[in-house]
Amino acid sequence: TWLLPARAAAGPDLVFDLRREDQERTAQLLRDGVVMAAVTASAEPVAGCTAERLGRMRYRPRASPAFAARWFPDGPTVTSLSRAPVVMFDRDDRLQDRYLRRRTRRHLDPPRHHVPGSDAFVQAVRLGLGWGMVPDMQAPSGDGGLSDLDPDGSIDVKLFLEQWRLHSAALDRAAGAVRNAARTMLR
């Protein structure tokens, strides 16, 4: 969602092999030695790494106005949430399930679409394929394309930059770009 602008700020001469993984699973890429740095949801650093808090992303349950009118005429009830299609980022995305459990105190298994790409995910929600937990930065207040299904249903995800303790000019420059972007993009 916000990492490519950070990457661009590091300059075109710094080459990346960017890996896309849910923030709940990126620490495994560090453990496996696949990456030298990762944005994670874990404050506890992987062995041999440091972890630095970047901020938090706020997600809200949102849907297109037509989808909300059809599936949630009485708001997000247990019955409507169990039947309404939901858009998931990928099979590891648990954000929608966290919302469902918190809202209903039950395990629900509604029909699911998997759309692995942040822009494509939001577009799928905008097009009415289902509801989803959309980051505020992709649907700012007053965005007429999406309806907020539950004003009290936001979920904050704390993000951390984990990186190897190795110091190199390239890694330091990349980490600095991520830190700077986080200051402006995250809460």
Side-chain angles (χ1 to χ4, degrees):
T1 306
W2 60 274
L3 204 56
L4 282 179
R7 164 51 200 100
D13 59 320
L14 191 59
V15 178
F16 278 71
D17 180 1
L18 195 62
R19 304 293 173 109
R20 185 205 53 83
E21 191 66 64
D22 186 86
Q23 67 269 3
E24 301 289 336
R25 299 176 48 86
T26 50
Q28 188 61 46
L29 296 175
L30 284 164
R31 278 187 208 91
D32 294 342
V34 174
V35 299
M36 297 172 68
V39 174
T40 74
S42 174
E44 187 64 34
V46 169
C49 294
T50 60
E52 174 184 349
R53 188 172 192 275
L54 293 172
R56 62 187 163 98
M57 283 183 66
R58 176 161 286 170
Y59 294 80
R60 297 178 197 276
R62 294 189 165 124
S64 71
F67 185 92
R70 175 180 176 201
W71 291 95
F72 301 110
D74 299 318
T77 64
V78 172
T79 301
S80 63
L81 287 168
S82 68
R83 295 180 181 158
V86 60
V87 179
M88 311 286 286
F89 185 78
D90 61 18
R91 284 168 179 73
D92 296 320
D93 180 7
R94 297 291 168 242
L95 206 51
Q96 285 71 211
D97 289 323
R98 280 177 57 192
Y99 169 75
L100 288 170
R101 273 191 305 280
R102 194 169 83 193
R103 174 73 184 179
T104 68
R105 303 200 191 304
R106 297 180 187 180
H107 172 76
L108 301 180
D109 191 22
R112 297 164 189 259
H113 299 285
H114 296 97
V115 184
S118 59
D119 291 336
F121 172 88
V122 175
Q123 183 179 17
V125 173
R126 282 185 196 283
L127 291 171
L129 295 178
W131 70 272
M133 296 299 291
V134 177
D136 280 357
M137 69 177 58
Q138 288 185 283
S141 276
D143 178 349
L146 291 174
S147 294
D148 194 346
L149 298 178
D150 181 355
D152 299 322
S154 67
I155 294 178
D156 288 342
V157 176
K158 293 177 184 171
L159 297 177
F160 300 85
L161 174 62
E162 282 196 58
Q163 68 180 58
W164 290 355
R165 291 183 190 270
L166 168 78
H167 288 283
S168 74
L171 187 56
D172 292 346
R173 197 164 98 204
V178 169
R179 278 186 212 97
N180 289 338
R183 276 188 213 100
T184 61
M185 302 291 284
L186 302 178
R187 301 168 76 83

